[in-house]
């Protein structure tokens, strides 16, 4: 009796279901009803037929949802999948995510409209931050994305420093670069972090100067003996310990109080050449206490500092004196006395007495670089001296 009642109840349930679906109770109709029921059960867990909505346990999903290996976002009101749209995701930390044409949350660089954006490993859009992007093995580019998430290009000031970003790739540029500011073209240098250098920067053993406000490269180069490995004048070890004790560097305002210009260009070139040779010879260091040891060895090789092979020392005026000897001025003329090279205090009078120099004292020569030429001797009497070796060309 119980089994009969169950069969009647089951049959009644099927009849009710068929009536609700608008179908008959014949065997064929029952088969169609079974398929419809199966389809209904499938929709309750997964995508609908248009792949527009997603259901879980019979409920339409809204908000963000990970399905398989992708994250999706479904409209909170309609449940429709989001495609090709930037969405603000509220949470412990608000973030913006982008969903592509398939509805997948994206990572990495993405061009949306006319701007480039970057989406991090957590799918959040990078804003007001630098991002290092791997291009290939051991090759990266550094880009910056502003507060709107847009990749910047050109010259930008960020947190007190200037950076130059490539207009096509957005990569921060390094090294010497041409920069246009206010209609003027400057040559500037950007360090390994992409920051524009202001002031002095030693690059491959040469110290370059860059304008403190514009970053413009001071391309006039001078050679001089500048200081020992401790930055002082005495008690240094023989030889150039740092590569900068005797060196070539950009012009700077020491300040100079006069310029001695050789009247003959060949003579001027020889003075500059000797200074270059000294700067490239690391056997020559700086020490005021042993300033004449370079002259001692150079005298044996035609006053050519480039041929000195023994460790020795010099100072600024002793080196310039030697360069003049190499160019042809007798040693006896430029010596302070029989055993001591000329000092900055007497160098002007010693050299001018030869009749081979023209003296300039105006600001156009002592405070600016435009009129200076190769072989010019810069002098701050009782202070420092150096020689102009030419202009550094940036390719």
């Amino acid at each position: 009796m119980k089994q009969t009642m169950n069969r009647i109840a089951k049959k009644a349930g099927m009849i009710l279901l068929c009536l609700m679906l608008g179908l008959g109770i014949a065997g064929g109709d029952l088969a169609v009803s079974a398929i419809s029921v199966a389809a209904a059960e499938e929709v309750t867990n997964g995508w609908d037929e248009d792949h527009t909505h997603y259901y879980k346990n019979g409920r339409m999903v809204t908000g963000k949802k990970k399905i398989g290996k992708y994250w999706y976002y479904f409209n909170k009101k309609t449940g429709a999948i989001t495609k090709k749209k930037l969405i603000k995701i509220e949470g412990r930390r608000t973030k913006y995510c982008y969903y592509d044409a398939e509805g997948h949350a994206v990572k990495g660089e993405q061009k949306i409209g006319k701007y480039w954006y970057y989406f991090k490993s957590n799918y959040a859009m990078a804003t007001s931050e630098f991002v290092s992007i791997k291009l290939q093995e051991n090759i990266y580019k550094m880009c910056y994305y502003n507060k709107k998430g847009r990749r910047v290009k050109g010259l930008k000031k960020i947190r007190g420093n200037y950076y130059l970003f490539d207009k096509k790739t957005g990569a921060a540029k390094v090294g010497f670069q041409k920069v246009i500011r206010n209609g003027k073209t400057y040559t500037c240098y950007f360090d390994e972090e992409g920051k524009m250098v202001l002031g002095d920067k030693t690059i491959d053993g040469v110290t370059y100067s860059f304008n403190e406000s514009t970053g413009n490269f001071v391309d006039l180069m001078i050679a001089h003996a500048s200081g020992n490995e401790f930055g002082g004048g005495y008690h240094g070890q023989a030889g150039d310990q740092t590569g900068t004790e005797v060196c070539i560097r950009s012009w700077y305002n020491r300040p100079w109080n006069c310029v001695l210009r050789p009247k003959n260009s060949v003579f001027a070139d020889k003075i500059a050449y000797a200074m270059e040779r000294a700067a490239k010879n690391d056997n020559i260091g700086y020490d005021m206490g042993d300033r004449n040891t370079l002259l001692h060895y150079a005298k044996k090789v035609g006053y050519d500092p480039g041929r000195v092979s023994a460790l020795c020392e010099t100072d600024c005026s002793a080196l310039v004196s030697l360069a003049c000897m190499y160019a042809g001025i007798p040693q006896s003329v430029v010596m302070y006395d029989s055993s001591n090279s000329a000092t900055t205090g007497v160098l002007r009078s010693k050299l001018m007495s030869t009749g081979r120099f023209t003296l300039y004292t105006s600001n156009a020569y002592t405070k600016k670089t435009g009129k200076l030429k190769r072989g010019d001797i810069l002098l701050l009497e009782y202070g420092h001296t150096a020689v102009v070796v030419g202009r550094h060309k940036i390719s």
Side-chain angles (χ1 to χ4, degrees):
M1 183 65 176
K2 186 175 181 180
Q3 291 178 349
T4 302
M5 292 298 291
N6 287 338
R7 284 197 299 271
I8 292 171
K10 184 175 182 181
K11 189 171 184 179
M14 291 299 292
I15 292 170
L16 179 59
L17 179 58
C18 289
L19 289 172
M20 292 175 64
L21 297 173
L23 301 173
I25 60 172
D29 291 334
L30 286 174
V32 173
S33 300
I35 293 172
S36 299
V37 170
E41 289 177 350
E42 185 178 353
V43 165
T44 61
N45 284 284
W47 294 98
D48 62 7
E49 185 177 351
D50 296 331
H51 208 81
T52 301
H53 301 81
Y54 192 83
Y55 296 85
K56 184 176 181 181
N57 298 327
R59 293 187 176 185
M60 187 168 59
V61 172
T62 60
K64 62 179 182 177
K65 172 70 176 175
K66 189 173 187 180
I67 304 170
K69 62 179 181 179
Y70 298 109
W71 280 95
Y72 298 83
Y73 188 85
F74 299 93
N75 187 283
K76 290 191 175 182
K77 292 183 178 180
T78 67
I81 187 174
T82 297
K83 294 183 179 181
K84 299 175 71 173
K85 192 172 183 181
L86 193 65
I87 296 293
K88 182 180 181 180
I89 307 292
E90 302 284 0
R92 189 173 62 179
R93 288 186 179 180
T94 299
K95 64 181 180 180
Y96 288 87
C97 301
Y98 184 77
Y99 298 85
D100 64 16
E102 300 298 321
H104 303 156
V106 301
K107 292 189 289 187
E109 276 194 300
Q110 300 289 329
K111 191 173 186 181
I112 305 171
K114 63 179 181 179
Y115 298 108
W116 283 93
Y117 299 81
Y118 186 85
F119 298 89
K120 297 179 283 189
S121 59
N122 65 348
Y123 303 95
M125 181 175 73
T127 57
S128 300
E129 61 185 292
F130 288 96
V131 177
S132 179
I133 301 171
K134 186 175 182 178
L135 301 177
Q136 52 185 288
E137 192 66 29
N138 297 323
I139 299 178
Y140 295 80
K141 69 173 181 177
M142 183 178 70
C143 301
Y144 185 79
Y145 298 85
N146 64 20
K147 62 182 180 181
K148 292 184 178 180
R150 297 170 181 174
R151 191 177 75 187
V152 303
K153 58 185 178 179
L155 186 69
K156 299 293 179 184
K157 190 174 185 179
I158 303 169
R159 300 166 196 161
N161 294 295
Y162 279 100
Y163 298 81
L164 184 65
F165 300 95
D166 187 88
K167 291 184 177 180
K168 291 184 177 180
T169 67
K173 294 186 177 184
V174 298
F176 285 99
Q177 303 290 337
K178 295 292 184 181
V179 174
I180 298 176
R181 298 177 69 182
N182 301 319
K184 295 182 179 180
T185 301
Y186 300 101
T187 299
C188 302
Y189 187 85
F190 297 84
D191 66 17
E192 59 278 3
E193 295 181 347
K195 297 176 183 177
M196 178 191 286
V197 172
L198 303 177
D200 286 354
K201 171 75 173 178
T202 300
I203 306 166
D204 296 329
V206 178
T207 301
Y208 299 93
S209 289
F210 301 90
N211 186 279
E212 291 284 357
S213 58
T214 66
N216 192 36
F217 167 49
V218 180
D219 64 348
L220 189 77
M221 307 303 290
I222 63 174
H224 67 162
S226 62
N228 65 23
E229 62 267 35
F230 309 115
Y234 294 93
H235 311 302
Q237 186 176 343
D240 195 337
Q241 310 303 312
T242 64
T244 60
E245 293 185 45
V246 179
C247 65
I248 294 173
R249 60 153 295 146
S250 290
W251 175 94
Y252 66 105
N253 189 2
R254 180 67 172 87
W256 313 106
N257 71 294
C258 64
V259 172
L260 283 66
R261 172 168 292 172
K263 293 179 179 180
N264 180 279
S265 61
V266 175
F267 177 58
D269 185 68
K270 287 184 177 181
I271 293 174
Y273 177 74
M275 295 294 291
E276 290 171 329
R277 297 270 286 170
K280 294 175 182 178
N281 187 348
D282 286 342
N283 290 315
I284 306 170
Y286 185 100
D287 193 293
M288 295 175 70
D290 292 318
R291 63 194 298 269
N292 291 297
T293 55
L294 169 61
L295 174 60
H296 171 75
Y297 292 109
K299 184 178 179 180
K300 301 176 182 179
V301 289
Y303 298 104
D304 181 356
R307 294 175 60 192
V308 171
S309 58
L311 294 177
C312 57
E313 305 282 59
T314 189
D315 68 4
C316 64
S317 53
L319 179 60
V320 171
S321 297
L322 176 64
C324 291
M325 294 175 202
Y326 174 81
I329 295 179
Q331 177 177 330
S332 59
V333 174
V334 289
M335 294 292 286
Y336 181 83
D337 57 37
S338 60
S339 60
N340 192 15
S341 298
T343 63
T344 56
V346 300
L347 191 60
R348 173 177 171 174
S349 60
K350 291 283 186 179
L351 295 181
M352 291 303 296
S353 69
T354 67
R356 303 186 70 173
F357 294 88
T358 300
L359 180 68
Y360 295 98
T361 58
S362 69
N363 289 346
Y365 292 86
T366 61
K367 297 186 183 304
K368 299 179 181 179
T369 65
K371 292 183 176 294
L372 296 178
K373 296 181 179 180
R374 179 174 170 84
D376 284 353
I377 296 175
L378 309 175
L379 180 63
L380 171 62
E381 292 175 284
Y382 301 99
H384 192 49
T385 186
V387 172
V388 175
V389 295
R391 296 191 181 273
H392 186 87
K393 295 181 180 180
I394 305 299
S395 58

